[in-house]
Amino acid sequence: MIEDILSEKTKLEAFNLLKEGFGENSEKQFKNFLLFTKNKPGKRLGVLYKYDGIAVGVVLLFEKDRIFEGKCYKFINFSSWYFIKKYRIFAPILIKKIILESPENSIVTNFTSLRSTRPIFYKLGFSDFDVRFSPISINILKYSLSSKINLINGNIPKSIPKNINEIFSSISSKNIYKFSVQNQLRSEECFFCIYFFQKKGLRFGRILYASNPKVFVNNLSKIKLNLLINYRCFGLLFPNFGAYKLITFSFKTNAKYLFKSSQKLDNIDLLFSEFTELFKS
């Protein structure tokens, strides 16, 4: 039996399974996501697989409707999932059912795929798209003195658009930082999230979300300088798609982002997943 995670009962069942699978160190993150009081009623947070009425498997999903270039798309990102060992054979069945029952306009992604699970997704028709690493470098020709970058962690302005406020209010990881970049001369504004992580003693950032990728790219040089000076960030990771093809001085990494869609994806911005790293802190 398959059941959507909607009710308080199913949320608690999912939480208990994930705590069993990932340990108590991840308890806070899962509790914040599943039991967060600001979650909209009726919003699906994932799917449970039940055997004889008992939850034995769970897949968390991040779902969001977005309009891009006049078309409406439903983005569905596979996040953390866990099956009791005895029932893991049913995991591909559940994933396949989620995909088959997704609306025609869906774009299904997995931004945190493990090497061991990628063969499952490839067999289900998923493809790779590049992840690029951009070292911190400053292009003086794209450096705008009129742009201002503000950290808004814990101090979200009242003027922020409602949809962005919902995104930022739902994120509660100590390693995720929320910013705004504004160019008053051009009346441009972009809100973005970055997940900071350490590798070999150095700090790097993964871009999780940008409300306006074009504004983000136009101000990238100043954003990089701000991250280097204030956060000692030495480089950024991002999916090589959409507006991000404009970024130079980057190279392909071994990371894998996966997607599946019946839509043609020549121009669509895939930098949507504001939650891709929520459970990795």
Side-chain angles (χ1 to χ4, degrees):
M1 175 185 171
I2 296 172
E3 187 174 356
D4 289 338
I5 301 173
L6 290 168
S7 66
E8 294 303 314
K9 179 177 180 293
T10 52
K11 291 176 185 178
L12 188 58
E13 288 175 312
F15 171 71
N16 289 333
L17 269 176
L18 291 164
K19 185 171 68 170
E20 174 186 325
F22 289 84
E24 292 186 357
N25 289 337
S26 299
E27 181 176 339
K28 182 179 178 181
Q29 288 92 334
F30 291 126
K31 183 180 288 185
N32 285 339
F33 175 60
L34 288 165
L35 308 177
F36 192 56
T37 55
K38 291 188 179 181
N39 277 329
K40 291 182 178 179
K43 179 183 178 182
R44 183 173 75 158
L45 302 178
V47 178
L48 288 173
Y49 188 89
K50 292 188 172 182
Y51 190 86
D52 286 341
I54 299 174
V56 297
V58 57
V59 176
L60 293 186
L61 302 170
F62 294 112
E63 300 183 330
K64 190 168 187 65
D65 294 323
R66 284 191 67 191
I67 296 175
F68 183 79
E69 294 187 346
K71 295 180 181 180
C72 184
Y73 298 90
K74 188 175 188 67
F75 289 87
I76 303 173
N77 187 54
F78 282 91
S79 184
S80 302
W81 53 293
Y82 171 72
F83 272 72
I84 295 173
K85 187 174 182 179
K86 181 180 177 181
Y87 302 97
R88 285 178 189 167
I89 190 174
F90 296 111
I93 297 173
L94 178 58
I95 293 171
K96 184 176 182 180
K97 189 169 181 63
I98 292 170
I99 295 168
L100 291 175
E101 294 184 354
S102 298
E104 180 67 23
N105 65 336
S106 295
I107 297 174
V108 188
T109 61
N110 187 342
F111 280 9
T112 53
S113 61
L114 299 174
R115 187 184 299 272
S116 60
T117 63
R118 285 175 201 158
I120 296 174
F121 286 92
Y122 290 144
K123 287 181 180 178
L124 293 172
F126 280 71
S127 302
D128 296 330
F129 59 97
D130 291 350
V131 179
R132 310 289 294 190
F133 174 76
S134 178
I136 294 294
S137 58
I138 308 301
N139 182 346
I140 194 67
L141 297 177
K142 286 193 173 184
Y143 189 87
S144 174
L145 294 174
S146 60
S147 295
K148 296 195 179 299
I149 300 166
N150 297 307
L151 175 69
I152 56 177
N153 276 28
N155 188 26
I156 299 176
K158 293 181 180 179
S159 59
I160 191 171
K162 184 178 179 181
N163 63 317
I164 307 298
N165 188 32
E166 290 176 356
I167 290 170
F168 282 3
S169 296
S170 299
I171 298 176
S172 59
S173 171
K174 63 181 180 180
N175 292 325
I176 294 178
Y177 285 67
K178 308 153 196 173
F179 300 88
S180 68
V181 55
Q182 297 172 311
N183 188 321
Q184 295 178 341
L185 293 180
R186 299 180 183 176
S187 298
E188 293 179 338
E189 187 173 49
C190 174
F191 298 93
F192 61 96
C193 292
I194 290 181
Y195 171 83
F196 288 123
F197 63 96
Q198 298 283 130
K199 192 166 186 179
K200 295 184 178 179
L202 299 176
R203 173 176 272 194
F204 299 94
R206 185 187 296 271
I207 304 168
L208 302 185
Y209 174 79
S211 62
N212 190 323
K214 290 183 180 179
V215 173
F216 183 93
V217 170
N218 287 338
N219 291 279
L220 181 61
S221 208
K222 191 161 189 176
I223 290 170
K224 282 184 172 183
L225 181 61
N226 181 283
L227 295 176
L228 178 63
I229 293 174
N230 296 317
Y231 303 96
R232 296 292 186 265
C233 177
F234 288 86
L236 296 175
L237 284 170
F238 55 89
N240 186 32
F241 232 86
Y244 284 81
K245 289 183 178 178
L246 300 174
I247 296 177
T248 56
F249 304 108
S250 65
F251 51 88
K252 190 174 178 180
T253 76
N254 292 325
K256 296 289 185 182
Y257 283 14
L258 307 179
F259 76 94
K260 178 181 174 66
S261 174
S262 60
Q263 309 290 313
K264 191 175 181 181
L265 294 176
D266 286 342
N267 298 310
I268 194 162
D269 159 36
L270 281 173
L271 192 67
F272 79 97
S273 185
E274 60 270 18
F275 301 107
T276 53
E277 295 291 334
L278 186 57
F279 301 126
K280 303 193 84 174
S281 59

